[in-house]
Amino acid sequence: MCVKRKVTGIDFDGGYADYMIVGAEAIAAVPDELAPEEVGPFMCAGVTVYNALRNSGARGGDVVAVHGIGGLGHLGVQYARKMGFVTVALGRGTDKQELAEKLGAHHYFDTESGDTVAKLQKLGGARVILATAPNAKAISALVEGLAPDGNLLIPAAPPDPLSIPMVPLIFGRTSVSGWYSGTARDSQDTLEFSGLSGVHPMVEKYPLSEVAAAYEQMHSCKARFRVVLMMP
């Protein structure tokens, strides 16, 4: 949230090279046990969801739901489980149920089948719902699945505005909030926690010479779940 924030590849060139110069305040130490291809996803999607969950107010044993099993969500499920939360994965259809359970979800709820809110409330409501699928309509429908004082936490911005029912928000004393990444120290904490607890991103590796094919795979939404360019 720095007002003078500089992002590699946006505010200045760099990132697609063997070497680069960067300010010391922007770097994080990488644990030896992490594979190089995992580090990039951890320092983007990883730090976003890890940092969101550890600052969410949820405590071990609380119900935490992760909406969307994609680039952010597949890491969110792993972090939620490793942090000791009762982990619920929310996804469209049943095609990702097996994956969600393999990643550590205690429960998988198909949002296209049955009443997702009722299922969450049967568990006592979610202390946190981490909404990683940028679909405004789907996110808005989850508010009533929160427990009292629960938080609908959004790290992935949908293009359309949310439509939030205010009565359950008021009566449940619940909240809707956003989360944006973290500092270099937060990135390092993410890397250390991931190495310690055995969290791994799902990546597809491409050599730098095949960057065009890598971009096509990413934009086709077929990648599971991060495309990583490997330097020669």
Side-chain angles (χ1 to χ4, degrees), residues 50 53 61 67 79 85-86 88 96 108 124 142 146 150-151 153 159 172 174 182 199 202:
Y50 171 74
L53 287 173
H67 174 239
Y79 286 129
F85 304 138
V86 177
V88 181
K96 289 185 179 178
Y108 179 87
L142 297 174
L146 292 168
N151 183 12
L153 190 54
T174 54
V199 173
M202 295 175 63

Coordinates of all heavy atoms in Angstrom, one line a residue, residues 50 53 61 67 79 85-86 88 96 108 124 142 146 150-151 153 159 172 174 182 199 202:
Y50 N -2.0 -16.1 1.7 CA -1.4 -16.4 3.0 C -1.5 -15.2 4.0 O -2.0 -15.3 5.1 CB 0.1 -16.7 2.9 CG 0.8 -16.9 4.2 CD1 0.6 -18.0 5.0 CD2 1.7 -15.9 4.6 CE1 1.3 -18.1 6.2 CE2 2.4 -16.0 5.8 CZ 2.2 -17.1 6.6 OH 2.9 -17.2 7.8
L53 N -5.2 -14.5 5.0 CA -5.7 -15.5 6.0 C -5.1 -15.2 7.4 O -5.8 -15.3 8.4 CB -5.5 -16.9 5.6 CG -6.3 -17.4 4.5 CD1 -5.9 -18.8 4.0 CD2 -7.8 -17.5 4.9
G61 N -9.4 -24.0 14.3 CA -10.7 -24.6 14.6 C -11.8 -23.8 14.0 O -13.0 -24.4 13.9
H67 N -13.4 -19.7 -1.7 CA -14.3 -19.7 -2.9 C -13.5 -19.6 -4.2 O -12.8 -18.6 -4.4 CB -15.3 -18.5 -2.8 CG -16.1 -18.3 -4.0 ND1 -16.1 -17.1 -4.8 CD2 -17.0 -19.1 -4.7 CE1 -16.9 -17.3 -5.8 NE2 -17.5 -18.4 -5.8
Y79 N -3.2 -23.3 2.6 CA -2.8 -22.5 3.7 C -3.9 -22.6 4.8 O -3.5 -22.7 6.0 CB -2.7 -21.0 3.3 CG -1.4 -20.7 2.5 CD1 -1.5 -20.0 1.3 CD2 -0.2 -21.2 3.0 CE1 -0.3 -19.8 0.6 CE2 1.0 -20.9 2.3 CZ 0.9 -20.2 1.1 OH 2.0 -19.9 0.4
F85 N -7.5 -24.4 10.3 CA -8.9 -24.1 10.1 C -9.7 -25.3 9.6 O -9.2 -26.1 8.9 CB -9.1 -22.9 9.1 CG -8.3 -21.7 9.5 CD1 -7.6 -21.0 8.5 CD2 -8.2 -21.2 10.8 CE1 -6.9 -19.8 8.8 CE2 -7.5 -20.1 11.1 CZ -6.8 -19.4 10.1
V86 N -11.0 -25.3 9.9 CA -11.9 -26.3 9.3 C -12.1 -25.7 7.9 O -12.7 -24.7 7.7 CB -13.2 -26.3 10.0 CG1 -14.2 -27.3 9.3 CG2 -13.0 -26.8 11.5
V88 N -13.2 -25.3 4.1 CA -14.3 -25.6 3.1 C -13.9 -25.0 1.8 O -13.6 -23.8 1.7 CB -15.6 -25.0 3.6 CG1 -16.7 -25.4 2.6 CG2 -16.0 -25.5 5.0
K96 N -13.7 -30.2 -9.6 CA -12.5 -29.9 -8.8 C -12.6 -30.4 -7.4 O -11.8 -30.1 -6.5 CB -12.3 -28.4 -8.8 CG -11.8 -27.8 -10.1 CD -11.4 -26.4 -10.0 CE -10.9 -25.9 -11.3 NZ -10.6 -24.4 -11.3
Y108 N -16.2 -30.0 0.5 CA -16.3 -29.4 -0.8 C -17.8 -29.2 -1.1 O -18.6 -30.1 -1.0 CB -15.7 -30.2 -1.9 CG -15.8 -29.6 -3.3 CD1 -14.9 -28.7 -3.7 CD2 -16.9 -29.8 -4.1 CE1 -15.0 -28.0 -5.0 CE2 -17.0 -29.2 -5.3 CZ -16.1 -28.3 -5.8 OH -16.2 -27.7 -7.0
G124 N -22.0 -24.0 11.3 CA -21.9 -22.9 12.2 C -21.6 -21.5 11.5 O -21.5 -20.5 12.2
L142 N -22.6 -15.0 -1.1 CA -22.0 -15.8 0.0 C -22.1 -15.1 1.4 O -21.8 -15.7 2.4 CB -20.5 -16.0 -0.2 CG -20.1 -16.9 -1.5 CD1 -18.6 -16.9 -1.7 CD2 -20.7 -18.3 -1.3
L146 N -21.8 -16.4 6.3 CA -20.8 -16.0 7.4 C -21.4 -16.3 8.8 O -22.6 -16.2 9.0 CB -20.5 -14.5 7.3 CG -19.7 -14.1 6.0 CD1 -19.6 -12.6 5.9 CD2 -18.2 -14.6 6.1
G150 N -18.3 -12.6 11.1 CA -17.5 -13.1 10.0 C -17.1 -12.1 9.0 O -17.6 -11.0 9.0
N151 N -16.1 -12.5 8.2 CA -15.6 -11.5 7.2 C -15.5 -12.2 5.8 O -15.0 -13.3 5.7 CB -14.2 -11.1 7.6 CG -13.5 -10.1 6.7 OD1 -14.2 -9.5 5.9 ND2 -12.3 -9.9 6.9
L153 N -13.7 -11.9 2.7 CA -12.4 -11.3 2.4 C -12.1 -11.5 0.9 O -12.1 -12.6 0.4 CB -11.4 -11.9 3.3 CG -10.0 -11.4 3.3 CD1 -10.0 -9.9 3.7 CD2 -9.2 -12.1 4.4
P159 N -14.8 -7.6 -12.0 CA -15.0 -6.3 -12.8 C -16.3 -5.6 -12.5 O -16.3 -4.4 -12.8 CB -15.0 -6.9 -14.3 CG -15.4 -8.3 -14.2 CD -14.9 -8.8 -12.8
G172 N -25.8 -9.8 11.5 CA -24.7 -10.7 11.8 C -23.4 -10.0 12.3 O -22.5 -10.6 12.6
T174 N -21.4 -8.7 10.4 CA -20.4 -9.2 9.5 C -19.8 -8.1 8.7 O -20.3 -6.9 8.7 CB -20.9 -10.3 8.6 OG1 -22.1 -9.8 7.9 CG2 -21.3 -11.5 9.4
G182 N 1.3 -7.9 0.0 CA 2.0 -7.6 1.2 C 3.4 -7.0 0.9 O 3.8 -6.7 -0.2
V199 N 3.4 -26.6 1.7 CA 2.5 -26.0 0.7 C 3.2 -25.9 -0.6 O 4.4 -25.4 -0.7 CB 2.0 -24.6 1.2 CG1 1.1 -24.0 0.1 CG2 1.1 -24.8 2.4
M202 N 0.7 -25.3 -7.9 CA 0.7 -26.2 -9.1 C 1.1 -25.3 -10.3 O 0.5 -24.3 -10.5 CB -0.7 -26.7 -9.3 CG -1.2 -27.7 -8.2 SD -2.9 -28.2 -8.4 CE -2.8 -29.1 -9.9

